[in-house]
Amino acid sequence: MDENMGKKIVDEVVNASNNKTTNDQPTNNQSNDMRKKLMRIMLIVIGVLVIILIVILIISLFTGRNKSYEAIETELENAAKEYYDVQSGLLPQEEGEVVTVNASILAENGYMDPLSELRSGEDCTGRVEVTKINGEIIYTPYLECGDNYVTKELYKAVLEQGLVTTGNGLYDLNGEKVYRGETVNNYVKLDNALFRIVKIIANNQILLIADDVLDSSSLPYDDRYNSDRNYNSGINDYRVSRIKSSLEEIYNGNTLLSNNDKEKLTTFNLCIGKRSEEESINTNGAECSDVLNNQMIGLLTVSDFINASLDSNCKKTTDRSCQNYNYLRLRDAEWWLLTSNNSNTYQAYAVRTYGYIESFNASNMKRIRPTVMLNSNAMIKSGDGSASSPYILK
């Protein structure tokens, strides 16, 4: 190989090496640029996340302490119980007596936070009414936060339906607010059973009747030996009747009424006076001529059944037209009323499957639809009283 040829080969190798170095340089620069771009994107994402977390923290500082209205009502109730555990001498002593403690007093004594802290930005007031009912102490919280929220009693929700003078609905009758007609929105769902509102009495307590007969077996009004009849036809005096004992057993059990339900009830006076089959004055005058005080459970009177009908021909005790336009009618059961026949010692009234009232021997077997009285401070949670959306209590 001559000298020129060797020199040429060496020059080609050197040039190739230089070209490779030159060509590699842009590739390294591109890689560095890509890393810088990725780093910038990551920093931006991290920055956005930090900003979001700061915003959430700020919002939580201003709104996180706002408890729900129901939660505040529960806190009011619990605070009042703790307060009266210490101040037990201030509790009501007499049946039906009511004492009140305001939320401001509970907060000042350290039993709860001030309402201004529990609902920031709202002007709220609260109190707890403490009542002695059937020997038990019942705590009822009230909360009012302007137009945003007001604790509402059931009787107020019922009255908001408005009164009517014709057709189905709530009537002003005999000094009471009475449901009349075939289709009325008066359903109340308690824990264990569905009830209907019969009426609101003068002190805003609410008379309820079971929507249907109880599942338990049929019962006699009474099955004692009657000396007037010379056999066990029963004695139609509610005070000593078998049905009174049966109702008390039902109340003391937890099948119809839960303990939670019982806290919402109050004692009431049962009108146990007798009336004739021809009686046409339906103001409970005859029935209330004899009264059994401070009862927790009972049955419906003849007057109350008749007043639920809108038929103008429903006047006397046994008028068959009383089955018409009457939400209390049941088509598949006969059930006892509270009222007895005043013409003898052995008959009481019951509603037949046809829907009108008839007099039966007290020893006959019939079903029952108990009545109870809701306290005026029973609170509504939801519902409009319709069959599909009955009133639900707190």
Side-chain angles (χ1 to χ4, degrees):
M1 182 182 295
D2 61 18
E3 182 179 349
N4 290 333
M5 180 63 71
K7 183 177 179 182
K8 183 177 179 181
I9 293 171
V10 171
D11 290 341
E12 288 177 355
V13 170
V14 171
N15 289 336
S17 175
N18 289 338
N19 288 337
K20 183 177 186 303
T21 302
T22 303
N23 292 335
D24 286 348
Q25 188 65 38
T27 300
N28 291 334
N29 290 338
Q30 290 174 359
S31 178
N32 290 335
D33 289 343
M34 183 64 69
R35 283 195 296 271
K36 290 179 180 179
K37 288 180 180 179
L38 290 173
M39 185 64 69
R40 282 196 296 271
I41 292 172
M42 290 178 63
L43 290 174
I44 291 172
V45 170
I46 292 172
V48 170
L49 291 174
V50 170
I51 292 172
I52 291 173
L53 290 173
I54 292 173
V55 170
I56 292 174
L57 179 62
I58 292 173
I59 292 174
S60 66
L61 287 175
F62 285 94
T63 64
R65 60 188 174 183
N66 274 2
K67 289 192 173 184
S68 69
Y69 299 117
E70 287 194 4
I72 295 175
E73 288 171 339
T74 300
E75 189 160 334
L76 276 167
E77 181 178 349
N78 292 335
K81 289 178 179 178
E82 292 182 19
Y83 173 79
Y84 282 108
D85 279 344
V86 177
Q87 304 287 346
S88 58
L90 300 178
L91 285 169
Q93 303 299 313
E94 302 296 328
E95 184 71 19
E97 182 184 352
V98 181
V99 298
T100 302
V101 59
N102 292 325
S104 57
I105 298 297
L106 296 174
E108 288 172 8
N109 285 273
Y111 294 104
M112 63 179 290
D113 292 330
L115 293 179
S116 59
E117 295 181 11
L118 297 176
R119 292 296 299 184
S120 177
E122 291 186 66
D123 185 15
C124 297
T125 60
R127 70 185 190 280
V128 179
E129 291 188 358
V130 187
T131 314
K132 188 171 185 178
I133 300 175
N134 198 27
E136 299 291 331
I137 301 298
I138 306 301
Y139 295 81
T140 306
Y142 289 83
L143 179 66
E144 183 172 351
C145 296
D147 295 332
N148 296 329
Y149 183 83
V150 177
T151 304
K152 183 182 294 185
E153 296 93 338
L154 176 61
Y155 82 86
K156 289 182 179 178
V158 171
L159 293 177
E160 285 176 0
Q161 291 185 10
L163 299 176
V164 299
T165 55
T166 59
N168 300 312
L170 191 65
Y171 284 71
D172 191 345
L173 186 68
N174 304 322
E176 300 172 327
K177 305 302 185 291
V178 179
Y179 274 107
R180 307 182 69 197
E182 193 165 18
T183 306
V184 290
N185 293 328
N186 64 345
Y187 290 88
V188 177
K189 180 67 174 69
L190 299 187
D191 288 345
N192 296 345
L194 189 65
F195 286 79
R196 307 292 292 268
I197 299 172
V198 177
K199 60 185 180 180
I200 303 174
I201 63 176
N203 57 5
N204 293 323
Q205 294 173 349
I206 300 175
L207 182 66
L208 301 181
I209 185 172
D211 180 49
D212 204 346
V213 292
L214 299 192
D215 292 334
S216 56
S217 302
S218 297
L219 300 169
Y221 191 96
D222 190 73
D223 59 2
R224 290 179 172 85
Y225 177 80
N226 189 306
S227 58
D228 293 339
R229 300 286 288 174
N230 294 321
Y231 73 94
N232 288 59
S233 58
I235 298 173
N236 62 3
D237 181 353
Y238 181 79
R239 274 191 174 83
V240 294
S241 67
R242 301 292 191 194
I243 205 165
K244 178 178 181 291
S245 300
S246 297
L247 286 167
E248 290 170 351
E249 289 176 5
I250 289 169
Y251 178 81
N252 291 328
N254 289 320
T255 301
L256 178 65
L257 299 163
S258 69
N259 289 330
N260 179 53
D261 292 333
K262 293 174 185 177
E263 290 184 358
K264 301 174 178 63
L265 304 181
T266 186
T267 60
F268 63 114
N269 298 333
L270 285 180
C271 294
I272 61 173
K274 300 179 181 182
R275 64 180 277 163
S276 72
E277 293 186 0
E278 298 301 314
E279 177 65 66
S280 60
I281 299 175
N282 300 306
T283 61
N284 273 312
E287 291 91 331
C288 291
S289 63
D290 188 8
V291 175
L292 189 58
N293 296 323
N294 299 323
Q295 301 300 295
M296 294 302 301
I297 192 168
L299 297 172
L300 200 68
T301 66
V302 167
S303 284
D304 286 334
F305 181 84
I306 288 176
N307 288 333
S309 172
L310 285 176
D311 195 310
S312 60
N313 295 311
C314 174
K315 298 175 181 178
K316 294 188 299 182
T317 303
T318 55
D319 281 342
R320 296 197 173 196
S321 57
C322 292
Q323 65 188 283
N324 295 336
Y325 322 117
N326 191 333
Y327 72 91
L328 288 169
R329 178 188 179 182
L330 299 179
R331 298 179 183 274
D332 57 356
E334 294 186 339
W335 45 286
W336 286 115
L337 294 172
L338 185 66
T339 312
S340 298
N341 193 326
N342 72 354
S343 65
N344 57 61
T345 61
Y346 59 90
Q347 286 185 320
Y349 295 111
V351 181
R352 299 202 62 184
T353 53
Y354 299 104
Y356 61 88
I357 298 170
E358 193 169 307
S359 190
F360 294 89
N361 284 355
S363 57
N364 278 202
M365 305 296 283
K366 308 291 181 187
R367 308 293 287 278
I368 58 171
R369 297 175 69 182
T371 60
V372 293
M373 189 73 75
L374 275 179
N375 205 339
S376 60
N377 61 11
M379 300 295 172
I380 182 175
K381 180 178 181 180
S382 61
D384 58 14
S386 63
S388 59
S389 181
Y391 292 118
I392 305 294
L393 304 182
K394 292 182 179 179

